Amino acid sequence: MWWLKEVAVIDPSQTISSPCDVLIKDGKVLDIASSLTEVDVSAKAQGEAVETIEGKGKFLFPGLIDVHTHLREPGQEEKEDILSGSRAAVRGGFTTILAMANTQPVIDKRALIEFVRLQGERAGYAHVLPIGTVTKGMQGSELVEMADMKEGGAAAFSDDGKNIQNAEVMRLALEYAKLTGLPIISHCEDKDLAGDGLMRRGLASGRMGLRGIPGSAESVIVGRDLILAEETRGKLHLAHISTAESVDLIRKAKARGVDVTAEVNPHHLIFCDEDIKLNDTVLKVNPPLGSKEDREALIEGLKDGTIDMIATDHAPHTQAEKTRPFAEAPFGIASLETALSAVWQHLVVPGRLSLDRVVEAWSVSPAKRFGLNGGTLKPGAPADMVLFDPDYKEVIKPANLVSKARNTPFLGKSFQGLPVMVWVEGRLVQKDRMVL
Ligand code: NCD
Ligand code: ZN
């Protein structure tokens, strides 16, 4: 049994944001109280040994749930695999991750869903929940067998990495997915508008002479999908929203009652197109980083609930790929290990976002939208949780990363404020930044 004493509990699911004592037993939260005595605790331990943690000055919150991670297994294990990715997850404070389907082969049948789920269980770190593709072979034309894949453990459906260009296929997908109750996750990118652009079209792309992707490449599909979700009453989740225009469209659709949720990635909240350097592809990501105005609109949207959740879009690539010339390197940022601390440092510490909102957006909302066990420290809930030390300092070094990927803009940067203990179902899996 664990006894966390005088720890600042942040649990928006119960509107708790105050110092508490927390007891963990048999993999579950047993009790949360304003304070407990030795007598209370030994009565509840019923003879079991008690490990005590002095929590003063630290935060405890439900484990983060990341609905957008690329784990690359099967097929591209040189970039990442389910074991390395789920270790990176718990190092970063994530106890559940949803694995994207754009692997090789793509996850478009039940047997593959079951493979990803089993590999996650064998790894034994974060809970790994597979996302299935929407269309067979991710070819954008024929729908997968959604009900069968749900039986095998699919948590959602997405052709992420590629947009579903055919509006009729998207409409059918939203309609058909209603049978499963699971959301369709849309990677909104009009192929023709995006062309072979490399970064957001704007002053910065002009200055650097890099081909631009207009913001409309995203927002025209956001608009299309919102209309289709409204018409079908389907369940839509919009991945990696990056423009002010998209935020505006979502806000209006929500006001009309459309069943839509949206996510934003930490890099779109922290960086903008002006941070990109021609000789460094680390910020080459899809969707591309927007303008400062886009970034402001995303922060506002996250604050007012237009954007429901934060998700990493952890997109690991090898150094060999990322050190190619700008036009040839793949899109993507690896972020499981740094995302929470980066959001803490760049948004919470300067007062742009409250920690309560971060936990709500990265744990409570994902659990609710995807119907997952987690996102709460209510007694009886699985003890998936994070102890976060706002004073802990670390320099991000390649040697310390447990992900296979090094494509993070934070290498060499020093962070203050990190997850220092992480439990999955009451089992300690990370302590003092070491994955156990
Ligand atoms: C992702 C990848 O590498 O799979 N890349 C990215 O830049 N985000 C695909 C995606 O999420 O669109
Ligand atoms: Zn995507």
Side-chain angles (χ1 to χ4, degrees), residues 68 70 72 102 160-162 187 240 284-287 313 315-317 331-333:
H68 194 149
H70 295 274
R72 308 299 190 204
N102 65 337
D160 181 64
K162 234 170 151 185
H187 164 114
H240 43 48
K284 180 180 176 186
V285 67
N286 198 13
D313 192 6
H317 294 293
F331 290 94
I333 296 174

Side-chain angles (χ1 to χ4, degrees), residues 60-258:
L60 184 79
F61 41 83
L64 301 188
I65 299 175
D66 202 77
V67 302
H68 194 149
T69 68
H70 295 274
L71 300 181
R72 308 299 190 204
E73 184 181 348
Q76 293 178 305
E77 291 85 351
E78 69 284 6
K79 294 178 194 256
E80 193 78 286
D81 60 29
I82 291 170
L83 177 62
S84 64
S86 58
R87 284 169 59 86
V90 297
R91 188 157 185 271
F94 300 94
T95 53
T96 298
I97 50 178
L98 271 58
M100 271 302 170
N102 65 337
T103 48
Q104 290 176 2
V106 299
I107 309 301
D108 62 356
K109 29 176 104 53
R110 179 175 177 164
L112 290 161
I113 289 280
E114 289 182 346
F115 168 76
V116 172
R117 187 165 56 73
L118 278 173
Q119 286 294 81
E121 283 168 18
R122 285 183 189 120
Y125 289 95
H127 304 285
V128 176
L129 306 179
I131 295 172
T133 60
V134 175
T135 65
K136 291 186 181 163
M138 250 177 81
Q139 292 301 307
S141 48
E142 205 185 329
L143 297 183
V144 297
E145 293 183 35
M146 292 184 188
D148 196 34
M149 286 164 73
K150 185 193 175 183
E151 286 284 300
F157 301 99
S158 182
D159 277 6
D160 181 64
K162 234 170 151 185
N163 181 56
I164 295 169
Q165 297 294 317
N166 183 319
E168 171 61 359
V169 173
M170 186 61 180
R171 191 189 67 77
L172 282 171
L174 284 162
E175 186 76 69
Y176 185 35
K178 287 196 292 185
L179 294 172
T180 66
L182 302 178
I184 298 284
I185 303 176
S186 179
H187 164 114
C188 298
E189 180 187 22
D190 183 278
K191 188 161 104 340
D192 302 302
L193 287 172
D196 49 6
L198 302 167
M199 65 180 285
R200 175 78 72 231
R201 181 182 296 167
L203 287 176
S205 70
R207 203 164 41 237
M208 274 190 281
L210 289 179
R211 278 189 301 276
I213 301 171
S216 57
E218 171 176 296
S219 43
V220 299
I221 302 294
V222 168
R224 178 198 77 172
D225 288 356
L226 289 170
I227 291 167
L228 295 173
E230 187 163 19
E231 181 183 285
T232 57
R233 297 172 193 272
K235 211 169 178 174
L236 175 65
H237 176 75
L238 301 170
H240 43 48
I241 287 307
S242 72
T243 74
E245 201 173 21
S246 302
V247 176
D248 211 41
L249 288 165
I250 298 163
R251 191 176 283 121
K252 287 180 182 141
K254 284 193 162 182
R256 298 197 302 275
V258 178

Side-chain angles (χ1 to χ4, degrees), residues 33-56:
S34 52
S35 80
L36 292 167
T37 63
E38 297 275 350
V39 178
D40 299 331
V41 175
S42 61
K44 298 204 177 195
Q46 294 175 323
E48 204 177 296
V50 180
E51 290 220 44
T52 307
I53 311 271
E54 296 298 336
K56 214 169 192 161

